[in-house]
Amino acid sequence: MAKKNGKSVYIAALLLFLGGIGYLLFSGFSQNSVYFLEVSEALAMKPDQLGSARLFGTVKAGEIKRHEEGLGVTFILEDAKDKKLVLPVVYKGAVPDTFKAGAEVIVEGNIDDATKAFQARTLMTKCPSKYEKKNRE
């Protein structure tokens, strides 16, 4: 009976291991890669180019509508630099306590082709300055 070569078993195991690591890295990066944009950058892109994105902006005053049927809010997101550039946002979920007009927020989701509104999956607000350490001079 012929003796099996032990090196071939180790090479096969190494190739399987490296292939598995490569697959995990590829699938993890492709699912979690999200653009971080300002409103002006998102508006400059076509909705099919944008895909999933994280947008940063300010909540426009007087444009907040709480959902009556449950959790969520509809509001207008202003660009941080140019207040004329706005994007409607629809969010369904628990609204943070610090969410208010003028608050800086980050929303993650995508643009709905039919309504042209940003459908947010997550809504995060920037911590108010009252929590920051004050300068003592």
Side-chain angles (χ1 to χ4, degrees), residues 43-117:
L43 290 173
M45 297 176 77
K46 294 178 183 173
D48 57 333
Q49 289 178 324
L50 187 60
S52 185
R54 223 175 250 157
L55 300 182
F56 172 75
T58 309
V59 179
K60 187 172 182 177
E63 299 289 336
I64 300 172
K65 297 180 181 99
R66 303 266 178 186
H67 295 173
E68 293 177 8
E69 65 275 357
L71 297 175
V73 66
T74 301
F75 62 97
I76 301 293
L77 188 65
E78 294 178 318
D79 189 70
K81 297 173 187 163
D82 187 358
K83 301 293 183 192
K84 291 181 240 167
L85 298 174
V86 295
L87 183 66
V89 177
V90 178
Y91 172 68
K92 295 179 182 174
V95 180
D97 292 338
T98 55
F99 180 82
K100 61 183 176 183
E104 292 179 339
V105 296
I106 297 172
V107 290
E108 185 177 334
N110 54 0
I111 293 182
D112 183 13
D113 292 332
T115 62
K116 303 296 183 205

